[in-house]
Amino acid sequence: MFTGSIVAIITPMTSDGKICRSSLKKLIQYHIKNKTKAIVTVGTTGESATLTQKEHNKVILLSIEFADNKIPIIAGTGANSTKEAILLTKKIEYSGVHACLTVVPYYNRPTQKGLYQHFKSISENTNIPQILYNVPSRTGCDISPETVIQLSKFKNIIGIKEATGDLSRVHQIKQYAKKNFLLISGDDSTALDFMQLGGHGVISVTANIAAKEMSNMCSLALQKKFCDARRINNTLMPIHQSLFLEPNPIPIKWAAWKLGMIQNNYIRLPLTQLSYKTQLILKKSLRISKLLN
C-alpha cells in the first residue's frame, strides 16, 4: 500500500486564508487519476504548523471524503509533546485514514532514549499503523538508525520517512529492521538513489505537480528498471532542486497555482510569497521539465 510515489500534498487555501475545499478535491482527483500510491495530508508541505487543531482535523476528514477509498490517506499527527501526539493520533484513529506520519519531536531535542520512549508510547496507546518521520533540518533532532531498528519491532510501527538525504541509512536500517519495514525517502533529489539501494518509495513534494512522472519513475524503480527510471528523474531534477530554493511549501504552492491546479496562492505567515528571483528560476525549471509551455 505504501510503496512507490506518495504525495506530501499541499493544503490549498482561499484568498482570505480558509481551507479551499474545491481545490483540495481537484488535487486529490488528480492524484487518483495519475496513480499516486497514497496521500500524506497535513504534513510539512500541508502547512500543519500553521493550521489550528480544528482545521487540521477538517483537512484530514475532507481528504478521506474526497479520496472515496480510491487512494490511501496518511495523516500527519506528530507533535513535540508525547501526550499531544497520542491525542492527535487517537482522534483520527477510526476516521478512515490508513496510517499516521509521526515526526521526530521538534524544538526540545530529546536523546535517543527519549525518542524511543516517545514513539513507543504512541505505538502502545494507539492501533493505527505508524510511519516515523525523520527530518533533522526542521526538528533539530535526528533519530539514529539504531533507534529506528529498535522501534521497528513494534507491530504498528511499519516504516520511516527518511528526509536526511543520507543514503547510507538505507542499508543500515534494512539489514536489521523487521522484515517488510518500509523505507521511504523524504528527499526528491535523492529518492531514486534511495530506492536503488533498497528503499520502497518516496513521500514527494514534486509529485504535487508531476504526479504521473513521479508515479512512473517509482514504478520503474520498483521493477528494477533503473535506467528508464533515471531518464524520467533527470527530466524532473530541475524541479526537485528548484522547489527547495525557499522553505517548503512556498515554491510548490506557487508552482501549483501557476499551473492552474489551485485557485489561489495564499500561504500563511510566517511563510511569505515566493520571491520574484525564485519565480524566474522555478518557471524555467517547469519549462525544462515540460510541465509549463
Side-chain angles (χ1 to χ4, degrees), residues 112-132:
Q112 293 302 310
K113 181 180 178 181
L115 291 172
Y116 176 81
Q117 292 296 335
H118 172 80
F119 290 114
K120 176 176 179 283
S121 295
I122 299 171
S123 173
E124 290 177 340
N125 284 279
T126 61
N127 295 309
I128 191 167
Q130 181 181 346
I131 301 171
L132 312 177

Side-chain angles (χ1 to χ4, degrees), residues 215-227:
S215 179
N216 288 342
M217 185 200 79
C218 289
S219 178
L220 288 165
L222 289 170
Q223 295 173 60
K224 302 191 183 302
K225 297 178 180 178
F226 296 113
C227 290

Side-chain angles (χ1 to χ4, degrees), residues 43-54:
T44 303
T45 311
E47 292 178 78
S48 58
T50 57
L51 297 179
T52 65
Q53 193 169 115
K54 185 178 179 180

Side-chain angles (χ1 to χ4, degrees), residues 44 101-104 119 131-135 138 160-161 163:
T44 303
L101 185 71
T102 49
V103 71
V104 165
F119 290 114
I131 301 171
L132 312 177
Y133 178 17
N134 190 31
V135 56
R138 285 185 177 268
I160 184 168
K161 174 186 177 183

Side-chain angles (χ1 to χ4, degrees), residues 26-256:
K26 182 180 176 182
L27 289 175
I28 290 174
Q29 289 173 339
Y30 164 76
H31 286 290
I32 293 168
K33 179 182 177 182
N34 288 287
K35 299 182 180 179
T36 298
K37 296 302 182 184
I39 291 172
V40 170
T41 187
V42 291
T44 303
T45 311
E47 292 178 78
S48 58
T50 57
L51 297 179
T52 65
Q53 193 169 115
K54 185 178 179 180
E55 288 173 326
H56 190 277
N57 292 330
K58 179 181 179 180
V59 174
I60 293 171
L61 293 175
L62 284 173
S63 299
I64 294 164
E65 178 188 339
F66 297 150
D68 193 27
N69 287 319
K70 293 172 184 172
I71 188 169
I73 300 294
I74 303 167
T77 59
N80 59 344
S81 158
T82 305
K83 185 177 180 180
E84 184 181 357
I86 292 169
L87 288 173
L88 285 170
T89 305
K90 287 179 79 70
K91 185 167 280 190
I92 57 93
E93 192 167 8
Y94 301 105
S95 63
V97 299
H98 296 79
C100 65
L101 185 71
T102 49
V103 71
V104 165
Y106 43 89
Y107 189 74
N108 26 10
R109 299 177 67 192
T111 62
Q112 293 302 310
K113 181 180 178 181
L115 291 172
Y116 176 81
Q117 292 296 335
H118 172 80
F119 290 114
K120 176 176 179 283
S121 295
I122 299 171
S123 173
E124 290 177 340
N125 284 279
T126 61
N127 295 309
I128 191 167
Q130 181 181 346
I131 301 171
L132 312 177
Y133 178 17
N134 190 31
V135 56
S137 62
R138 285 185 177 268
T139 62
C141 188
D142 183 5
I143 186 168
S144 71
E146 292 77 16
T147 304
V148 173
I149 290 161
Q150 282 184 287
L151 289 166
S152 78
K153 295 171 185 175
F154 289 92
K155 184 180 178 181
N156 60 340
I157 297 181
I158 64 168
I160 184 168
K161 174 186 177 183
E162 260 291 346
T164 59
D166 181 358
L167 297 174
S168 69
R169 296 190 179 209
V170 180
H171 177 71
Q172 291 179 61
I173 298 171
K174 196 175 182 70
Q175 187 175 13
Y176 296 108
K178 70 184 175 191
K179 187 180 179 182
N180 298 325
F181 187 74
L182 293 169
L183 292 166
I184 305 170
S185 172
D187 178 53
D188 279 305
S189 292
T190 59
L192 180 55
D193 297 320
F194 187 97
M195 292 182 72
Q196 194 161 358
L197 291 168
H200 301 98
V202 57
I203 294 177
S204 170
V205 176
T206 299
N208 276 282
I209 56 172
K212 183 178 180 180
E213 293 82 356
M214 286 300 297
S215 179
N216 288 342
M217 185 200 79
C218 289
S219 178
L220 288 165
L222 289 170
Q223 295 173 60
K224 302 191 183 302
K225 297 178 180 178
F226 296 113
C227 290
D228 293 334
R230 199 159 297 279
R231 275 192 284 272
I232 298 173
N233 195 54
N234 288 344
T235 303
L236 293 174
M237 191 57 72
I239 299 288
H240 296 333
Q241 295 171 342
S242 299
L243 289 178
F244 289 89
L245 290 173
E246 292 185 27
N248 181 41
I250 295 173
I252 189 58
K253 260 202 159 175
W254 182 88

